[in-house]
Amino acid sequence: MKAVVLAGGYATRLWPITEHRPKMFLPVGENTVIDEIFEDLEADDRVDEVFVSTNERFADTFADYLDDSPFEKPTLSVEETVEEDEKFGVVGALEQLVGREGVDDDLIVVAGDNMISFDLGDFADFFEEKGTPTLAAYDVGDRERAKSYGLVQLDGDEVVDFQEKPDDPQSTLVSIACYAFPAETLPDLTTYLDDDNNPDEPGWFLQWLQRRGAVHAYTFDGAWFDIGTADSYLDAVEYALDGGTLVADDATVEGSDLGDVVHVMSGTTVTDSTLDRAVVFEDATITDSEIRNSGIDHRAPTASADLSGALIRPHPSVRAGDHF
């Protein structure tokens, strides 16, 4: 069995904190999301190779990371894109990878920005039992939120209907970016794309497969975070920290009040400030400020600021990025 970790996006909605780093490397507590995925795949003896699908822009970053990591299975597979508007789409990139790497085994595919509470080994067990294309599904519990995802309707654990980002959701059970495909279905990627179908959203491909044969859903409780926006990133951090605070040993915090869900990273200095629900990256400096619901990027100086819902980049003065 092979695995693909999808890491080819540019995460423009999270700029500036992802402008020069893949969002899969954003810390969530003591770890990163992609580390959690690699750990599960490394522990599964059925998976003998893990392809990390990324773009040319971040290829060197991933290569350095993998060289320094304890993981033995991952290898890079690089898309020939450097900008958002050059992307092949998720299905297109997956089809190219399967051809480029000569993949002809059963295949697990998971997004590198998926923070999930189940073990991918359990998902692989379910897939092997069913022997059909398989997706993971989670009840988001909110119809408004469900509009942003592919909805699945089940008969038992078999998918009987699929709606991609519906305007009027009939349920709140959504497909997350975690799939498994039997080897014999991989050529269907090319057939699907040759028919001018949507190359971007994997849900459309699963819907296309479901109309031609059985597709099953692995449902799970617990937690799932799609780290695509600043708000969802902070939600993931809150889950990882269990609502608490994490301060690096070599960070300096003086005369400051750290509230709930605060991560202060290595080399950072915080003085005479109040932080609540905030992530402060390495070597930043915060002085006489109130920071809420915000991310302060690497080496960003922030002084005499009152910030809420901002992403701040390194700059001689405070500069807000995307807002939550």
Side-chain angles (χ1 to χ4, degrees):
M1 186 181 294
K2 308 292 187 188
V4 171
V5 178
L6 299 171
Y10 294 93
T12 54
R13 289 181 296 171
L14 280 164
W15 281 19
I17 62 173
T18 55
E19 189 170 1
H20 302 294
R21 69 165 68 84
K23 65 178 173 178
M24 299 81 188
F25 291 165
L26 292 175
V28 282
E30 298 279 9
N31 219 341
T32 67
V33 175
I34 204 166
D35 281 331
E36 302 274 354
I37 293 169
F38 284 151
E39 286 172 3
D40 282 0
L41 296 173
E42 194 80 13
D44 194 329
D45 291 338
R46 291 166 295 190
V47 178
D48 57 12
E49 193 166 15
V50 177
F51 297 105
V52 183
S53 177
T54 191
N55 51 64
E56 288 183 326
R57 182 173 178 182
F58 288 136
D60 289 344
T61 303
F62 274 99
D64 292 342
Y65 166 83
L66 292 177
D67 285 344
D68 293 336
S69 81
F71 307 113
E72 297 181 357
K73 295 180 182 178
T75 60
L76 276 184
S77 187
V78 181
E79 304 171 14
E80 295 179 357
T81 69
V82 294
E83 300 291 345
E84 177 78 20
D85 59 5
E86 297 175 346
K87 286 174 58 178
F88 300 118
V90 175
V91 182
L94 183 59
E95 190 260 354
Q96 286 207 1
L97 183 147
V98 167
R100 183 169 62 245
E101 305 295 347
V103 178
D104 57 4
D105 295 337
D106 291 351
L107 184 66
I108 291 176
V109 179
V110 58
D113 59 354
N114 249 357
M115 186 171 176
I116 49 182
S117 60
F118 64 85
D119 191 306
L120 287 171
D122 295 337
F123 177 72
D125 289 343
F126 180 87
F127 164 60
E128 286 196 325
E129 175 190 339
K130 298 302 178 182
T132 70
T134 299
L135 57 87
Y138 181 75
D139 190 345
V140 296
D142 180 87
R143 291 184 186 272
E144 190 63 31
R145 184 182 174 195
K147 291 180 180 180
S148 300
Y149 302 103
L151 266 64
V152 293
Q153 182 178 338
L154 305 182
D155 180 6
D157 52 23
E158 183 172 350
V159 179
V160 294
D161 193 24
F162 199 108
Q163 295 177 289
E164 183 64 36
K165 298 182 179 178
D167 292 331
D168 184 22
Q170 299 305 301
S171 77
T172 56
L173 186 66
V174 308
S175 171
I176 73 168
C178 180
Y179 315 98
F181 302 102
E184 61 269 19
T185 65
L186 296 182
D188 291 335
L189 289 162
T190 301
T191 304
Y192 170 85
L193 292 170
D194 285 347
D195 288 342
D196 292 326
N197 288 298
N198 187 315
D200 193 24
E201 301 290 350
W204 291 114
F205 178 56
L206 269 296
Q207 183 184 65
W208 184 89
L209 287 174
Q210 185 264 329
R211 290 171 178 169
R212 288 157 176 78
V215 172
H216 286 86
Y218 171 90
T219 56
F220 65 99
D221 298 320
W224 167 64
F225 300 96
D226 168 22
I227 302 179
T229 66
D231 206 23
S232 63
Y233 172 51
L234 284 181
D235 286 343
V237 171
E238 180 173 3
Y239 174 79
L241 296 181
D242 195 22
T245 296
L246 177 62
V247 178
D249 290 341
D250 63 346
T252 300
V253 178
E254 297 177 343
S256 297
D257 180 17
L258 304 187
D260 296 331
V261 192
V262 174
H263 187 178
V264 178
M265 297 183 205
S266 175
T268 284
T269 299
V270 180
T271 56
D272 301 325
S273 297
T274 299
L275 276 64
D276 189 65
R277 194 173 161 83
V279 176
V280 186
F281 288 81
E282 297 90 345
D283 302 320
T285 301
I286 298 176
T287 305
D288 191 28
S289 297
E290 292 191 13
I291 311 294
R292 302 172 302 280
N293 297 313
S294 297
I296 308 300
D297 202 6
H298 174 72
R299 295 183 178 174
T302 305
S304 301
D306 185 349
L307 298 172
S308 179
L311 300 178
I312 307 302
R313 74 179 75 228
H315 196 267
S317 59
V318 169
R319 177 179 174 184
D322 298 333
H323 289 265
F324 299 7

